[in-house]
Amino acid sequence: MSVTSKRILVTGGAGFLGSHLCERLLNEGNDVLCVDNYFTGRRTNVAHLLDNPRFEIMRHDVTFPLYVEVDEIYNLACPASPIHYQHDPVQTTKTSVHGAINMLGLAKRLRAKILQASTSEVYGDPHVHPQTEDYWGNVNPIGFRSCYDEGKRCAETLFFDYHRQHKLKIKVARIFNTYGPRMHPQDGRVVSNFIMQALAGEPITIYGEGNQTRSFCFVSDLIDGLIRLMNTPDDFTGPVNLGNPVEMTIRELAENIIALTGSKSELIFEPLPHDDPTQRKPDITLARAKLGWEPDVPLKHGLEATIAYFARLRDEIASGAIADPRILREGAR
């Protein structure tokens, strides 16, 4: 073991982002404890890590206290797609708020550094474009998305209060749309939705007229940003935006995916969901200055890797090698 290796806890470690983070931290020679309650995370995401003697996995819900010994904590636990976080909105808020309290309490006891995976959703449907970290946001506190948006905003409040009151070493990352292999095929996010529909030759569902914009960051770039943030000097807390500043419309994304898959899918249009943001684009000036970070995986290359992953997944489902991932909890469809 390297003398510089650390014992690192990753909550939500069997999820999309968490599994990639666990893998990267192990590759850097650290001991990694992956904690997940498998609400949206999947054991298959970390199956390839189970034989690594430096990797440990624990089934646990962060809304309950956790007693372990670690040097650093990455708090990623929370369902992050609308279809999942709206399935049980009360539990989503509890995961963000009680989970933050429990992980901050653990960090306080251990005097450990802790990173909060916050979200661009703290900006709501923004009146400022692109979004900078000093923008306070435009969030509906009583809407269908509020369990996630306000839960994450409250978690940020808790992190900064623990920092001011208890001198805790904190880092806060505001994560913008991220995509890549290991996304859940039925998570309701635009990239996974479009790819699965295109691969099946089904119509691609666009909400509204498809003019709303998003900025898509490939998962390896995002993980690099999280680790760089964790390794900054203790006096830098963030929040810091992590995302790709290249903006595109939802319709343009659909057309790109159709072209890359060679699909015959047509576009169909449905009403825009309530409180769906019309614009999303991070200003990453702070990340460039403080982390020396910006994404470098082109959208075409990232989509090709993601399409290949979902194509393999479809083949494995068709062959019976794995269970159909669409068999989710009743109501979480």
Side-chain angles (χ1 to χ4, degrees):
M1 182 187 300
S2 168
V3 294
T4 59
S5 68
K6 293 170 284 193
R7 297 167 298 174
I8 302 176
L9 166 63
V10 179
T11 70
F16 164 47
L17 294 181
S19 63
H20 285 278
L21 178 60
C22 288
E23 187 174 60
R24 171 74 179 272
L25 293 171
L26 286 169
N27 288 341
E28 293 182 352
N30 300 292
D31 291 327
V32 175
L33 171 59
C34 166
V35 166
D36 207 294
N37 70 348
Y38 301 124
F39 176 68
T40 57
R42 294 177 293 164
R43 190 176 176 87
T44 54
N45 285 340
V46 292
H48 63 295
L49 305 177
L50 295 176
D51 290 336
N52 190 319
R54 297 194 307 274
F55 181 72
E56 182 180 357
I57 188 166
M58 176 189 299
R59 184 167 190 154
H60 181 81
D61 187 328
V62 296
T63 62
F64 297 94
L66 180 64
Y67 302 99
V68 294
E69 304 297 320
V70 294
D71 303 307
E72 291 180 352
I73 302 167
Y74 288 82
N75 187 37
L76 276 62
C78 189
S81 71
I83 196 171
H84 288 145
Y85 66 64
Q86 291 173 1
H87 170 62
D88 189 345
V90 172
Q91 183 64 24
T92 295
T93 302
K94 289 172 67 176
T95 299
S96 288
V97 177
H98 291 185
I101 291 170
N102 287 330
M103 291 306 106
L104 287 163
L106 176 62
K108 178 187 173 186
R109 178 177 72 81
L110 300 173
R111 306 309 300 171
K113 191 187 303 184
I114 181 169
L115 182 147
Q116 167 68 2
S118 191
T119 172
S120 61
E121 297 301 323
V122 300
Y123 299 123
D125 190 1
H127 293 159
V128 171
H129 191 74
Q131 291 80 59
T132 57
E133 290 86 354
D134 58 359
Y135 176 53
W136 290 356
N138 174 45
V139 177
N140 176 1
I142 59 171
F144 291 106
R145 302 171 68 99
S146 306
C147 59
Y148 185 69
D149 301 2
E150 295 288 43
K152 288 289 192 178
R153 286 164 67 94
C154 185
E156 286 197 15
T157 299
L158 286 162
F159 266 70
F160 278 90
D161 284 340
Y162 266 79
H163 172 66
R164 287 184 287 258
Q165 185 172 340
H166 301 296
K167 312 302 179 187
L168 207 60
K169 293 178 286 187
I170 68 164
K171 309 290 179 183
V172 176
R174 289 177 178 165
I175 299 171
F176 284 68
N177 293 67
T178 304
Y179 71 100
R182 298 184 205 148
M183 295 182 78
H184 196 294
Q186 301 296 327
D187 68 4
R189 298 190 213 194
V190 64
V191 172
S192 52
N193 271 5
F194 287 1
I195 292 175
M196 292 298 287
Q197 289 172 332
L199 289 173
E202 299 171 351
I204 289 183
T205 307
I206 293 179
Y207 295 100
E209 297 181 0
N211 295 326
Q212 64 269 44
T213 65
R214 297 292 185 268
S215 306
F216 299 99
C217 183
F218 191 63
V219 62
S220 61
D221 284 333
L222 189 281
I223 297 304
D224 183 57
L226 291 177
I227 292 174
R228 286 174 182 247
L229 175 58
M230 181 65 96
N231 292 332
T232 54
D234 292 346
D235 61 354
F236 179 69
T237 61
V240 58
N241 290 337
L242 294 178
N244 194 327
V246 178
E247 186 180 18
M248 69 189 314
T249 69
I250 296 299
R251 182 166 188 151
E252 287 173 330
L253 174 69
E255 290 168 347
N256 271 294
I257 289 173
I258 288 173
L260 289 171
T261 56
S263 175
K264 302 297 184 183
S265 295
E266 297 180 349
L267 304 182
I268 60 172
F269 298 87
E270 299 287 347
L272 195 65
H274 190 61
D275 290 336
D276 190 54
T278 56
Q279 291 182 307
R280 269 286 181 272
K281 178 182 177 181
D283 183 314
I284 61 169
T285 302
L286 186 61
R288 288 189 178 111
K290 293 294 188 178
L291 313 183
W293 176 89
E294 61 182 314
D296 61 13
V297 177
L299 180 68
K300 180 177 183 291
H301 295 169
L303 286 178
E304 287 173 341
T306 310
I307 289 167
Y309 167 77
F310 281 123
R312 289 195 302 271
L313 193 63
R314 279 178 54 84
D315 290 343
E316 290 172 351
I317 294 168
S319 68
I322 62 173
D324 188 336
R326 289 174 294 183
I327 302 174
L328 302 173
R329 296 164 184 79
E330 184 177 353
R333 294 185 183 275

